[in-house]
Amino acid sequence: MAAAVVKTATRPPFLLLLLLLLGPARSGAPSSSSSSSPPSSSSAARVGCWFVEEAGGGGSVMPSKLNQRRALLLLPPPGRRLDEAPLESELPAEVEPGMAFQVLDPSRTLWGGSDPSAAPLWLAEPDALSCEINAYSPQEAHVSWAAGLGGKEGCPRALERGKWFIVSLQNPEAGYGVSSILHEEEPLPWKQEAATSIVTTTTAVLSVFTRTPQLQSRLGQDVVLDCGFSAPAAPFSVEWRHQHRGAGRVILAYDGAAKRISVAEKGTELFLDPDSNNVSLCLRGLGVRHEGTYICTVYLPHLHAQQALELKAVEPPRVTLRPTALSVPPSGPAELACEISGYYPLGVSVSWRQRSPGSPQEAILDTWESGHRQSPDGTFSLTSYARLRAVQPHDHGASLSCSVAHAGLGDRELQKAVKLHVAGTSGPSWEDAVGLFVVAFALYGMLQLFFRRAAGDTAKTQKLE
């Protein structure tokens, strides 16, 4: 096991609180709340969301019912804050007051790129986009590798000012997912005395993102699960959890307060890049056991957000057709076996076809299969059989093929074929004729030599007499 650990800058908790209230320090962009004049009007990226909350105001660990209200996410270009008044006039009727959220994203993490003129990455496939917003409460972490980030003072009162939310934008088709913790901004100076705004303006404080929400890899290869974050410069901890078939466990954890790896399973490696806040996970030698859901969680003092990634293992099958040469007497049966091995996942389909000379291709109907067999490495195998009950002379030269379809092969099929030889239906081939001629010539020479010797022996006997 190799784990990459780098030194990270640390700041005292009270300085982190100041950064949280002023905005992300690493973005280099000015705080939007410090604007003293109305910003110029500009269009914002819009996406329909659901605001999800527990019915009845909470009080139970597992809520029996959740309320969903339509919400709207408004994402202005990075570094910009739009005036709420023009935004309010354009809101759909089904969006209630307070359910429209303008999110200021100086770090450009929600935008998904550094070009403010480009559309957000997650809008590439709008039909596959999902958006959910929830209320959020800052609190201390309860895992040992993050407990030391906030010191011993507990959750400061400064974090209790204003409302907190968390938004999750997921678009597997576009290859991007992000979760951001949002803090409500103060009203603009000229709106201090105005009534409550219909649009809630927030700033993204901590954003955790992935560019590989869905991964597929062949067995034995190294796989990198992408995860990164943007946040104020402060101590942070990282946790990677693996979940599969109802069971879950932490496979790697980094303690930012102690600056050490706390948990690391064999074959895992954590990348810590202080310049880009890369906290990706590398899995060495992918096996079937690695398949499942991976959750990347980033902890700051009293804040944490996460991203879930789906990893699927796949291995294409190997196909062998037996016999490799098929010779059958007229009216005799022909039987073939197609051995399919080393594939994952389980699903595989087999089809048999016959193409006789001068005839269209047709399916072989008399087929059957063995049960799936699983190898110690988790891959599967099976054998498919086909039978031709009564081979006719006109079947001579037919091509008999076994075609296999599997997820590891994509849209193509893997095919193996053999030529059918019906005994007695054709003369010798050119190679056979040459061979017969050589044999006949050798036999003729041997006979000539035998008769000459026999004639010589007879002549000698007559002279002696």
Side-chain angles (χ1 to χ4, degrees):
M1 185 278 298
V5 182
V6 297
K7 294 182 179 180
T8 57
T10 59
R11 298 188 180 183
F14 72 88
L15 183 54
L16 169 64
L17 300 180
L18 180 62
L19 289 169
L20 291 175
L21 296 177
L22 294 179
R26 293 187 180 179
S27 65
S31 171
S32 57
S33 60
S34 63
S35 301
S36 57
S37 60
S40 60
S41 178
S42 178
S43 60
R46 297 170 174 239
V47 60
C49 299
W50 290 102
F51 188 90
V52 182
E53 58 186 345
E54 182 181 347
S60 62
V61 177
M62 296 295 293
S64 59
K65 184 179 179 181
L66 295 176
N67 282 338
Q68 297 187 71
R69 290 188 284 171
R70 291 190 178 275
L72 185 65
L73 186 70
L74 304 170
L75 188 62
R80 305 285 294 279
R81 175 173 179 171
L82 304 182
D83 190 359
E84 287 84 356
L87 297 175
E88 293 170 3
S89 63
E90 301 173 359
L91 294 181
E94 63 270 17
V95 176
E96 303 175 18
M99 289 291 101
F101 297 84
Q102 177 181 202
V103 180
L104 309 181
D105 180 31
S107 68
R108 296 181 172 89
T109 303
L110 277 167
W111 205 255
S114 59
D115 184 3
S117 64
L121 291 179
W122 36 264
L123 284 180
E125 298 288 342
D127 293 339
L129 176 64
S130 64
C131 175
E132 182 175 317
I133 303 175
N134 310 91
Y136 184 84
S137 298
Q139 56 186 324
E140 297 181 43
H142 298 291
V143 294
S144 59
W145 42 85
L149 295 176
K152 300 180 180 180
E153 298 83 3
C155 188
R157 291 187 176 275
L159 291 180
E160 299 176 1
R161 299 174 184 171
K163 296 180 180 179
W164 292 83
F165 306 93
I166 184 168
V167 59
S168 176
L169 287 164
Q170 306 297 325
N171 195 331
E173 296 297 326
Y176 197 73
V178 59
S179 295
S180 294
I181 297 177
L182 313 176
H183 183 246
E184 185 179 19
E185 284 285 315
E186 294 291 335
L188 293 171
W190 57 89
K191 286 196 171 185
Q192 293 287 346
E193 304 298 329
T196 303
S197 174
I198 298 177
V199 176
T200 302
T201 298
T202 63
T203 294
V205 178
L206 168 62
S207 297
V208 179
F209 64 89
T210 180
R211 288 162 290 199
T212 56
Q214 291 183 346
L215 277 170
Q216 181 174 289
S217 178
R218 290 190 59 174
L219 300 178
Q221 296 183 344
D222 295 343
V223 181
V224 175
L225 306 178
D226 179 74
C227 185
F229 72 99
S230 64
F236 65 90
S237 294
V238 182
E239 172 190 291
W240 277 95
R241 175 178 291 271
H242 178 219
Q243 293 182 341
H244 188 51
R245 296 179 179 175
R249 69 189 188 282
V250 175
I251 60 173
L252 195 147
Y254 168 71
D255 187 334
K259 294 184 175 60
R260 64 181 178 87
I261 297 292
S262 298
V263 179
E265 287 192 358
K266 183 179 180 181
T268 62
E269 182 178 349
L270 179 66
F271 298 98
L272 289 178
D273 187 345
D275 295 327
S276 63
N277 284 359
N278 177 21
V279 291
S280 300
L281 176 71
C282 179
L283 300 175
R284 300 292 184 186
L286 181 69
V288 172
R289 68 185 186 281
H290 291 125
E291 194 173 51
T293 301
Y294 289 80
I295 301 174
C296 171
T297 304
V298 176
Y299 295 89
L300 293 183
H302 314 293
L303 301 175
H304 72 275
Q306 61 189 26
Q307 273 294 295
L309 299 77
E310 295 292 332
L311 174 61
K312 292 184 177 180
V314 64
E315 187 67 20
R318 301 184 298 272
V319 179
T320 303
L321 184 59
R322 302 186 188 281
T324 56
L326 184 60
S327 180
V328 181
S331 300
E335 188 169 302
L336 299 98
C338 190
E339 299 174 359
I340 307 152
S341 60
Y343 58 89
Y344 189 88
L346 187 62
V348 66
S349 63
V350 185
S351 58
W352 289 91
R353 300 180 181 91
Q354 174 181 348
R355 181 186 293 275
S356 298
S359 301
Q361 182 174 266
E362 58 183 9
I364 301 175
L365 302 179
D366 190 2
T367 63
W368 69 99
E369 295 178 356
S370 68
H372 290 277
R373 303 177 296 272
Q374 190 166 21
S375 303
D377 64 357
T379 60
F380 297 94
S381 62
L382 68 78
T383 304
S384 178
Y385 300 92
R387 179 187 292 124
L388 300 177
R389 294 190 177 276
V391 174
Q392 301 301 320
H394 64 266
D395 293 325
H396 179 78
S399 174
L400 307 177
S401 63
C402 163
S403 298
V404 178
H406 183 262
L409 299 171
D411 296 331
R412 67 184 183 91
E413 290 185 341
L414 186 58
Q415 185 180 90
K416 297 291 183 178
V418 64
K419 290 288 186 180
L420 174 62
H421 176 78
V422 181
T425 58
S426 63
S429 63
W430 184 83
E431 293 83 358
D432 294 338
V434 172
L436 289 173
F437 174 79
V438 172
V439 171
F441 184 80
L443 182 60
Y444 174 78
M446 293 175 62
L447 290 174
Q448 287 284 359
L449 180 61
F450 173 77
F451 285 123
R452 286 178 182 176
R453 287 183 178 178
D457 292 342
T458 302
K460 290 180 180 180
T461 304
Q462 291 176 353
K463 289 181 180 180
L464 290 176
E465 292 177 351

